[in-house]
């Protein structure tokens, strides 16, 4: 069995992923702000480095897979936090574990992105460009000045998807794989908070997939199971939409 690090492991999609992987017999390194094997704040560079160091220590510098589930939504305490966690919390952590993943011989990673990263960013937002330029100070400042949590969320998910696809090319040459899952609305505490938010609640409730419901965390975890398995051995750099048809509803002619 494999040793797998999962960020955002304490709740929502991350908790469902851990349940599936543990049931399959894998050894897990759970990473979250609290109540985890590695308690670390992925919103700051110091917290990310602590998470990397503790993860490397726990896996003895050899890791089979990473599932990057940690993320915050439009109800985050600050807009800059959305950028810090959703983009830099993923990219810095993955970059820091790259050699440990390579040491396993066929390291694999899955990033939990969002359908919002495709249909809400018609053209690359300057915030996303700053993220992809690895300029966290500028990206956070732009997010705060722009003042729209929904735009920051979409830009962060767009940017982390682009990061994953670019990185997958480099990884593929090393025998490693990196893919992205783009969920639609999923019944998690994060989604519930968005539905109850005075600013965004109505829009969130009214944005319903063609299948007429939100997803459940286990449905996203099934996708992770597939992307970490040998059944997906030739899948690399892909974006897997698990969204009840939401992406197709919004942009059927773009894929």
């Amino acid at each position: 069995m494999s040793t797998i690090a999962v960020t955002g492991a304490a709740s929502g999609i991350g908790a469902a992923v851990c349940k599936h992987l543990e049931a399959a017999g894998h050894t897990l390194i759970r990473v979250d702000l609290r109540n985890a094997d590695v308690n670390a704040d992925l919103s700051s560079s110091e917290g990310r480095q602590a998470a990397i160091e503790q993860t490397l220590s726990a896996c003895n510098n050899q890791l089979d897979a990473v599932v990057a589930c940690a993320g915050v939504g439009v109800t985050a305490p600050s807009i800059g936090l959305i950028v810090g966690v959703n983009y830099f919390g993923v990219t810095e952590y993955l970059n820091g574990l790259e050699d440990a993943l390579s040491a396993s011989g066929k390291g694999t990673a899955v990033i939990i992105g969002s359908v919002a990263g495709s249909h809400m960013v018609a053209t690359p937002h300057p915030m996303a460009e700053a993220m992809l330029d690895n300029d966290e100070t500028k990206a956070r400042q732009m997010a705060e000045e722009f003042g729209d949590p929904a735009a920051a969320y979409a830009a962060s998910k767009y940017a982390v998807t682009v990061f994953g696809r670019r990185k997958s090319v480099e990884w593929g040459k090393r025998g490693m794989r990196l893919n992205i899952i783009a969920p639609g609305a999923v019944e998690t505490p994060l989604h519930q908070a968005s539905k109850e938010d005075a600013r965004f609640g109505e829009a969130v409730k009214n944005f319903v997939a063609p299948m007429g419901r939100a997803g459940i965390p286990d449905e996203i975890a099934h996708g992770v199971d597939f992307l970490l398995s040998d059944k997906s051995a030739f899948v690399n750099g892909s974006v897997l939409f698990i969204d009840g048809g939401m992406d197709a509803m919004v942009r059927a002619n773009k894929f």
Side-chain angles (χ1 to χ4, degrees), residues 108-132:
T108 307
V110 177
I111 294 171
I112 304 300
S114 172
V115 68
S118 61
H119 71 256
M120 289 180 69
V121 183
T123 56
H125 193 284
M127 274 189 284
E129 294 296 333
M131 291 179 228
L132 290 165

Side-chain angles (χ1 to χ4, degrees), residues 4-7 9-10 18-19 22 28-32 35-39:
I4 303 171
V6 181
T7 70
C18 288
K19 179 184 73 174
E22 190 169 51
L28 300 185
I29 303 170
R30 293 172 172 85
V31 182
D32 214 308
N35 301 321
D37 303 310
V38 173
N39 295 315

